[in-house]
Amino acid sequence: MSHVRAGDVIHVHSIDRLARSLIDLQSLVKDWNQRGIAVQFHKEGLTFGTDLNNPTSNLMLSILGAVAEF
C-alpha cells in the first residue's frame, strides 16, 4: 500500500479479499480515492475512482461490503 501513487489503479479480485469489515473497506477505498488512486473490483465489476461524491458508488460499496462482512 505504501508504493501506490496518484493515478494508479489497485486491482482486487473481490471486495471480501480486500477487507473483512465494512468500516475497514470504506476507510481504505476513501483514503486511496482522496490520494488519487482508483480501486477496481473484478468479481463485482465495480471501479471506485476519485469521484467521492457519487451516491450510487457509495451505496454499492456499503451494501456489498456489508454482505462480505456478514
Side-chain angles (χ1 to χ4, degrees):
M1 291 190 312
S2 62
H3 297 296
V4 294
R5 341 175 261 276
D8 287 350
V9 178
I10 297 175
H11 295 269
V12 182
H13 172 69
S14 178
I15 285 179
D16 63 346
R17 299 290 94 201
L18 180 60
R20 292 293 183 186
S21 74
L22 178 59
I23 293 171
D24 289 343
L25 176 67
Q26 290 173 324
S27 175
L28 282 170
V29 172
K30 181 179 178 181
D31 177 54
W32 285 330
N33 288 171
Q34 288 175 338
R35 293 172 40 199
I37 302 161
V39 183
Q40 182 175 8
F41 296 100
H42 292 278
K43 183 178 175 185
E44 293 82 5
L46 298 172
T47 301
F48 298 95
T50 57
D51 183 15
L52 300 173
N53 296 322
N54 186 333
T56 304
S57 293
N58 290 333
L59 176 64
M60 291 301 295
L61 184 66
S62 296
I63 290 172
L64 294 173
V67 169
E69 180 178 352
F70 179 70

